């Protein structure tokens, strides 16, 4: 790689500040209060924590969820990528931009025992005069939670796989496998997938940690009594009793240990896959019938995934719109008895301030995260030396609940009151790694010799960056900004714990409304949570289209 631009003092200082305020300071603030809090622990408190009702079940649920959902999502995404998903990448950005919470609410409206699917079956076949005791997806269950997280993580892994495929000679591997007598599909699973699994280590780790520590989605659709472990720890944290505070502290440490164990298992997963392949080649053993059937089923499911997700996304959007406009809608009617704007009109005075608050936080934090990611990438490119990626993605690899609880303890110890600024800072900590992850592949593949050519024509270093690199990478930069915006809109824990009720966003309010059971209000708030990133995505697509048209006319 040619060193096109010098490392200026300003760039050096800015990269250092980004790392300090978005990586080093957050980790230090989170760790320091834990040390102080541990001093107050005694055997009685620990014994009470161990005897907490439902402790083993909650931990078991979380382990099952954080193991099965990421693994299934990974293999469906890998199987789908065999069919050449590159042409369909345009679908991934809208699917990625839908927040988990809005997607969960929409899926619930479609597949719950009183959802549209059951109502449709009643209208067509006259079955289910009353809501079935167990629908396709119960209102609250571990199975519902697993399906929602599984479907929502596949687009992210697909995007990461497409980025990884540009770094390995996949087509050459496939041709080599075919010359040895293997089918193209067998060559894919035996030669390409082991390389992919190695390069998916960090994205898979991020998915595993998110699935383990997510709180807002389980609060809405997860199992009750006991819930998943992160949900239980959050409920202890919200309790005012001193015993609950110690339980939350110990629970967050358990969550951290679970995350470490699952990250170790994630590392072993790729080794296990490679070991099985080596054993298969050495012994020339035939694949068990059950495994080969499972493989064919996986390929079939993967082939159907994109049309299914398109239908799901459309169904989710329509369901949220219809519920927000329903004047009355009783089971088993297929459609509401009447449509009305009453919910929109009556709720708008309360909704509008939340929208401005959410948009303000998301625009600023997404911009800060994007600029920080660009600064770090440019600094590394000029130094011709890249930092370990896990370090820059630390915000994704640490469970969010212990991290945010540590910040809350730290700010409380420093006698700093909950404030909009702390919430904004916390959002930036999480938008930065997502923006970095989205941009890293394209930025590293950019041919920096073009910058060198610009300098030889007399342009300054900043002019080369703005006139050459920025227009070429405009599309991935815009999409990284949209995803960072969506990440900020979806933040529940940082807003809830650091805002302490003084900073309320559309997401925190949607979770609160979800416990109330009013589906019209829930549909309205979830719809707006989904519309905000989609509107920005549409704007980014229009900007890209106009740029391409302008380039074509030159």
């Amino acid at each position: 790689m040619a060193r096109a631009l010098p490392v200026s003092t300003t760039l050096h200082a800015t990269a250092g500040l980004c790392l300090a305020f978005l990586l080093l300071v957050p980790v230090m603030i989170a760790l320091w209060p834990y040390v102080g809090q541990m001093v107050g622990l005694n055997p009685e408190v620990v014994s009470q924590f161990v005897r907490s009702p439902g402790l083993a079940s909650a931990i078991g649920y979380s382990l099952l969820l954080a193991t099965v959902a990421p693994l299934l999502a990974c293999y469906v995404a890998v199987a789908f990528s065999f069919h050449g998903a590159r042409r369909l990448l345009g679908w991934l950005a809208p699917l990625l931009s839908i927040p988990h919470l809005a997607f969960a609410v929409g899926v619930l409206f479609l597949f719950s025992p009183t959802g549209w699917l059951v109502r449709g079956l009643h209208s067509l076949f006259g079955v289910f005069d009353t809501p079935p005791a167990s629908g396709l997806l119960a209102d609250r269950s571990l199975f519902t939670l697993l399906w929602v997280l599984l479907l929502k993580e596949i687009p992210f892994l697909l995007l990461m796989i497409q980025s990884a495929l540009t770094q390995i000679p996949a087509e050459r591997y496939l041709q080599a496998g075919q010359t040895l007598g293997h089918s193209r599909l067998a060559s894919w699973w035996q030669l390409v997938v082991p390389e992919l699994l190695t390069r998916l280590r960090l994205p898979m780790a991020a998915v595993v940690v998110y699935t383990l520590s997510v709180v807002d989605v389980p609060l809405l659709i997860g199992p009750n009594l006991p819930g998943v472990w992160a949900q239980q720890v959050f409920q202890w944290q919200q309790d005012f009793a001193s015993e609950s505070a110690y339980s939350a502290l110990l629970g967050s440490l358990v969550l951290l240990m679970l995350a470490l164990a699952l990250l170790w298992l994630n590392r072993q997963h790729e080794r296990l896959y490679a070991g099985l392949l080596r054993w298969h080649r050495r012994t020339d053993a035939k694949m068990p019938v059950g495994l080969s059937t499972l493989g064919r089923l996986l390929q079939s499911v993967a082939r159907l995934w994109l049309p299914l997700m398109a239908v799901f996304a459309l169904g989710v959007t329509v369901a949220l719109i219809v519920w927000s406009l329903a004047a009355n809608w009783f089971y088993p009617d297929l459609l509401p008895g009447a449509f009305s704007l009453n919910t929109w009109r009556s709720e708008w005075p309360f909704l509008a301030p939340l929208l401005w608050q959410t948009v303000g936080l998301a625009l600023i934090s997404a911009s800060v995260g994007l600029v920080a990611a660009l600064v770090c990438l440019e600094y590394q490119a000029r130094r011709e030396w890249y930092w370990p990626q896990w370090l820059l993605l630390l915000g994704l690899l640490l469970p969010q609940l212990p991290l945010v609880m540590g910040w809350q303890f730290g700010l409380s110890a420093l006698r700093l009151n909950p404030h909009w600024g702390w919430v904004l800072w916390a959002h930036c900590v999480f938008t930065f790694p997502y923006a970095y992850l989205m941009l890293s592949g394209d930025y590293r593949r950019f041919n920096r010799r073009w910058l060198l050519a610009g300098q030889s024509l007399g342009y300054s270093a900043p002019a080369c960056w703005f006139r050459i690199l920025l227009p070429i990478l405009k599309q991935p930069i815009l999409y990284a900004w949209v995803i960072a915006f969506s990440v900020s809109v979806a933040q529940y824990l940082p807003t809830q714990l650091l805002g302490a009720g003084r900073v309320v966003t559309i997401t925190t309010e949607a979770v609160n409304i979800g416990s109330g059971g009013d589906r019209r209000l829930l549909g309205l708030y979830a719809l707006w949570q989904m519309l905000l990133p989609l509107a920005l995505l549409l704007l980014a697509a229009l900007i890209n289209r106009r740029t391409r048209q302008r380039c074509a006319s030159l």
Side-chain angles (χ1 to χ4, degrees):
M1 181 183 295
R3 175 178 289 186
L5 302 176
V7 181
S8 66
T9 308
T10 306
L11 180 62
H12 189 92
T14 311
L17 283 174
C18 291
L19 288 182
F21 283 100
L22 298 178
L23 281 177
L24 184 62
V25 172
V27 173
M28 293 301 293
I29 290 182
L31 286 179
W32 162 60
Y34 272 101
V35 177
Q37 294 279 331
M38 293 292 288
V39 176
L41 287 179
N42 56 59
E44 186 181 347
V45 171
V46 176
S47 172
Q48 186 177 354
F49 168 75
V50 173
R51 293 197 307 270
S52 301
L55 183 141
S57 300
I59 292 176
Y61 286 168
S62 289
L63 285 176
L64 181 69
L65 193 69
T67 305
V68 175
L71 272 180
L72 281 177
C74 174
Y75 282 102
V76 170
V78 166
F80 180 78
S81 298
F82 171 72
H83 300 293
R86 182 185 295 276
R87 292 172 300 167
L88 305 171
L89 276 178
W91 288 88
L92 294 181
L95 295 175
L96 273 173
S97 67
I98 299 176
H100 284 71
L101 192 69
F103 185 76
V105 172
V107 169
L108 200 64
F109 286 173
L110 290 176
F111 299 107
S112 71
T114 57
W116 236 345
L117 179 64
V118 175
R119 291 168 188 260
L121 291 175
H122 174 80
S123 300
L124 289 174
F125 307 109
V127 294
F128 302 130
D129 290 330
T130 57
S134 57
L136 182 61
L137 294 178
D139 283 354
R140 297 184 65 95
S141 73
L142 186 67
F143 187 65
T144 306
L145 183 58
L146 188 146
W147 268 104
V148 167
L149 292 177
L150 165 64
L151 291 174
K152 195 64 186 69
E153 294 306 341
I154 292 174
F156 173 71
L157 291 174
L158 264 177
L159 191 70
M160 294 298 105
I161 288 173
Q162 296 310 306
S163 175
L165 282 175
T166 62
Q167 301 166 27
I168 58 176
E171 191 57 36
R172 202 187 312 161
Y173 285 178
L174 293 176
Q175 290 172 359
Q178 286 176 296
T179 58
L180 293 173
H182 297 291
S183 67
R184 191 172 174 84
L185 181 60
S187 304
W188 170 263
W189 286 101
Q190 294 189 31
L191 300 178
V192 180
V193 172
E195 285 282 338
L196 278 180
L197 291 182
T198 304
R199 294 173 190 279
L200 284 178
R201 189 182 305 156
L202 281 178
M204 274 292 288
V207 172
V208 166
V209 171
Y210 174 81
T211 309
L212 178 72
S213 61
V214 63
V215 169
D216 53 349
V217 181
L219 281 175
L220 201 64
I221 62 169
N224 259 333
L225 300 175
V228 294
W229 186 243
Q231 183 183 347
Q232 179 63 56
V233 176
F234 176 72
Q235 286 168 351
W236 277 326
Q237 171 62 18
Q238 296 294 90
D239 202 337
F240 291 104
S242 58
E243 297 82 7
S244 298
Y246 282 119
S247 294
L249 175 70
L250 291 170
S252 63
L253 291 178
V254 170
L255 194 64
L256 198 59
M257 287 188 283
L258 293 178
L260 290 174
L262 287 170
L263 291 178
W264 179 80
L265 283 176
N266 179 53
R267 181 75 178 87
Q268 302 311 310
H269 158 238
E270 61 191 76
R271 290 179 175 170
L272 178 64
Y273 187 91
L276 284 174
L277 277 183
R278 283 196 298 273
W279 170 80
H280 177 69
R281 289 173 194 148
R282 190 170 58 248
T283 60
D284 198 22
K286 288 187 177 179
M287 190 174 290
V289 177
L291 201 56
S292 61
T293 306
L294 183 64
R296 284 195 295 274
L297 179 65
L298 193 61
Q299 284 296 142
S300 306
V301 170
R303 195 186 291 272
L304 294 173
W305 176 81
L306 188 63
L308 282 177
M309 275 304 288
V311 171
F312 276 2
L314 184 63
V316 162
T317 308
V318 174
L320 294 179
I321 292 172
V322 171
W323 265 109
S324 70
L325 293 174
N328 53 66
W329 195 0
F330 301 105
Y331 186 87
D333 296 341
L334 186 61
L335 289 172
F339 288 96
S340 167
L341 286 172
N342 283 343
T343 306
W344 287 64
R345 274 199 293 261
S346 62
E347 200 62 23
W348 184 252
F350 308 103
L351 179 63
L354 302 187
L355 286 177
W356 294 123
Q357 179 110 281
T358 307
V359 170
L361 276 170
L363 282 177
I364 298 174
S365 60
S367 302
V368 170
L370 177 67
V371 170
L374 286 171
V375 166
C376 290
L377 284 165
E378 181 61 24
Y379 178 78
Q380 294 172 83
R382 293 192 191 188
R383 293 289 302 269
E384 300 178 3
W385 178 69
Y386 283 89
W387 299 320
Q389 203 169 22
W390 65 265
L391 179 66
L392 293 158
L393 302 182
L394 207 56
L396 301 183
L397 301 179
L398 289 173
Q400 194 182 58
L401 184 56
L403 199 61
V404 179
M405 279 176 56
W407 296 343
Q408 190 186 31
F409 291 147
L411 295 179
S412 176
L414 294 171
R415 299 183 184 280
L416 296 172
N417 292 325
H419 190 268
W420 187 85
W422 298 122
V423 177
L424 174 65
W425 169 70
H427 282 216
C428 293
V429 172
F430 296 110
T431 57
F432 165 66
Y434 274 102
Y436 185 89
L437 192 61
M438 297 293 294
L439 271 177
S440 177
D442 290 303
Y443 212 95
R444 292 189 188 201
R445 285 193 296 275
F446 174 75
N447 188 351
R448 300 187 69 82
R449 293 181 189 279
W450 293 355
L451 300 178
L452 194 60
Q455 278 190 300
S456 67
L457 294 174
Y459 289 103
S460 64
C464 286
W465 196 90
F466 282 102
R467 290 180 175 230
I468 299 175
L469 185 144
L470 190 60
I472 292 175
L473 294 183
K474 180 188 279 185
Q475 181 173 345
I477 288 173
L478 276 174
Y479 283 137
W481 188 50
V482 172
I483 296 302
F485 180 90
S486 175
V487 167
S488 173
V489 169
Q491 290 302 314
Y492 173 72
L493 278 177
T495 314
Q496 184 72 12
L497 294 185
L498 300 186
R502 301 179 191 183
V503 181
V504 183
T505 64
I506 195 81
T507 301
T508 56
E509 195 62 16
V511 175
N512 293 335
I513 290 172
S515 60
D518 188 333
R519 288 198 165 195
R520 289 172 297 182
L521 276 183
L522 184 59
L524 177 64
Y525 278 79
L527 177 65
W528 273 106
Q529 197 208 22
M530 187 174 69
L531 287 181
L532 292 179
L534 280 179
L536 201 67
L537 180 67
L538 183 62
L539 178 65
L542 286 175
I543 292 174
N544 278 328
R545 186 178 178 182
R546 292 193 64 177
T547 304
R548 283 198 301 271
Q549 288 175 343
R550 191 181 304 162
C551 292
S553 63
L554 292 176

